[in-house]
Amino acid sequence: MIPLFILQASQTATFGAIARFCFGRISPICWGVMPQDLPPHEPDPPARGSQRNMDDRDTGDAHMMRRCFALAIESAKQGEYPYAAIITRNGQVVAESTNRVARDRDVTRHAEVVAISEAQRATGHTSLHDCVIYVNAEPCAFCSYAIRETRIAKLVYGMRSPVMGGVSRWNILGDRVLSDTLPEVFAPPPDIVHDFLCDEADAALRRAAPLAWAFIRRRRLFDTTAQSEAAPDGIRFAHSQRSRARIAMSEPLMRVLRRFFDRFGRGGAT
């Protein structure tokens, strides 16, 4: 989850005021958003992704991502930031969550982290190595580290976050130093599908919180311009076929060692 508002709020500002901002109840000018910056009332644009992702998109991923968009809209209606996460195993939903920062009064309750916690309870394991996580926007650094430590196998997200993202700003999700140095704890980087239905993700945010959408556009917090696999600085699929081949021999052994290590520091075998 990426926080939306990087502003110096007054000492008297309350979380409720921020929530009301999401629904357009506070003057846009107070947040540095001029009326001309607001989205026009027009039909949502058609979905667009990179050609690579358009070719790779399958019905299952598209269904889960659209479910994630609907959850993000619901999150905004609840007065939360408009983010959501869904975790699946073998195509079945294991856990899903909206943001819960406002409800729990806890800034660590990002949608991804809450969903991960619920998935671990549902499966009875700390390792989610056979799971996929869907997020409407690129996970932040905090959530990205949780994804790495739980060994989630695949990440699918819509909008990129060049300011706060755990791939495009700090490449935590694609970093091999973690898994190379501590292979007993960290699995290799997950497969990453970026820019997936990114225009739909952008349109969902615009519907849920139009003023926040305008603010994000003005500050360029998110980027919906689809990029190809060849894009620099980690905006790519984390695993190529070649990298998969390199780890194929050692990965079974590492899974055995991870089960051993998990008995001591993570509450039981995975």
Side-chain angles (χ1 to χ4, degrees):
M1 188 281 299
I2 310 296
L4 292 182
F5 311 115
I6 314 300
L7 296 172
Q8 294 181 343
S10 67
Q11 293 181 352
T12 59
T14 65
F15 212 100
I18 297 176
R20 289 194 298 273
F21 158 60
C22 294
F23 307 133
R25 297 177 184 173
I26 295 179
S27 170
I29 299 175
C30 294
W31 296 91
V33 179
M34 304 304 294
Q36 62 266 27
D37 296 320
L38 296 177
H41 295 286
E42 60 184 16
D44 294 333
R48 182 187 76 244
S50 68
Q51 187 61 48
R52 172 67 179 265
N53 288 341
M54 290 291 288
D55 293 342
D56 287 352
R57 184 164 65 203
D58 60 53
T59 303
D61 282 349
H63 171 73
M64 289 300 172
M65 278 298 283
R66 289 181 175 122
R67 178 170 175 164
C68 190
F69 299 157
L71 277 174
I73 292 174
E74 185 62 28
S75 183
K77 290 179 180 178
Q78 295 170 358
E80 299 280 1
Y81 294 136
Y83 301 108
I86 297 174
I87 296 176
T88 66
R89 172 188 281 174
N90 298 324
Q92 301 298 314
V93 175
V94 176
E96 61 185 21
S97 180
T98 61
N99 242 48
R100 295 186 184 175
V101 171
R103 191 194 74 172
D104 297 344
R105 289 181 174 19
D106 183 347
V107 297
T108 69
R109 301 290 279 170
H110 296 193
E112 298 95 314
V113 172
V114 176
I116 285 171
S117 180
E118 292 183 354
Q120 289 175 324
R121 282 195 294 269
T123 61
H125 302 301
T126 55
S127 180
L128 303 175
H129 60 273
D130 53 355
C131 293
V132 180
I133 186 167
Y134 299 87
V135 191
N136 61 311
E138 180 181 340
C140 68
F142 170 60
C143 296
S144 296
Y145 190 87
I147 291 170
R148 288 301 305 272
E149 190 162 358
T150 51
R151 307 165 188 156
I152 288 175
K154 179 180 175 182
L155 163 68
V156 184
Y157 65 85
M159 298 178 291
R160 283 175 285 109
S161 178
V163 176
M164 293 170 284
V167 180
S168 53
R169 176 68 186 278
W170 300 285
N171 192 19
I172 297 169
L173 287 162
D175 180 23
R176 289 192 167 276
V177 174
L178 287 170
S179 51
D180 289 347
T181 305
L182 286 171
E184 303 88 352
V185 177
F186 293 95
D191 286 334
I192 300 174
V193 182
H194 58 84
D195 299 323
F196 192 75
L197 301 178
C198 58
D199 276 2
E200 290 190 31
D202 181 59
L205 175 61
R206 182 177 62 179
R207 290 195 303 271
L211 289 180
W213 178 87
F215 174 78
I216 286 169
R217 282 299 184 95
R218 190 175 183 86
R219 293 293 179 91
R220 299 179 179 178
L221 300 183
F222 288 150
D223 188 350
T224 58
T225 304
Q227 292 189 356
S228 68
E229 184 181 7
D233 298 329
I235 305 298
R236 54 180 168 73
F237 288 85
H239 284 175
S240 65
Q241 292 299 322
R242 184 169 55 185
S243 66
R244 285 182 181 276
R246 285 200 301 267
I247 66 171
M249 297 300 294
S250 61
E251 185 61 16
L253 174 60
M254 287 300 101
R255 287 185 178 179
V256 173
L257 289 175
R258 287 172 198 143
R259 292 191 186 98
F260 175 79
F261 273 79
D262 286 353
R263 287 184 180 273
F264 298 96
R266 295 162 63 105
T270 59

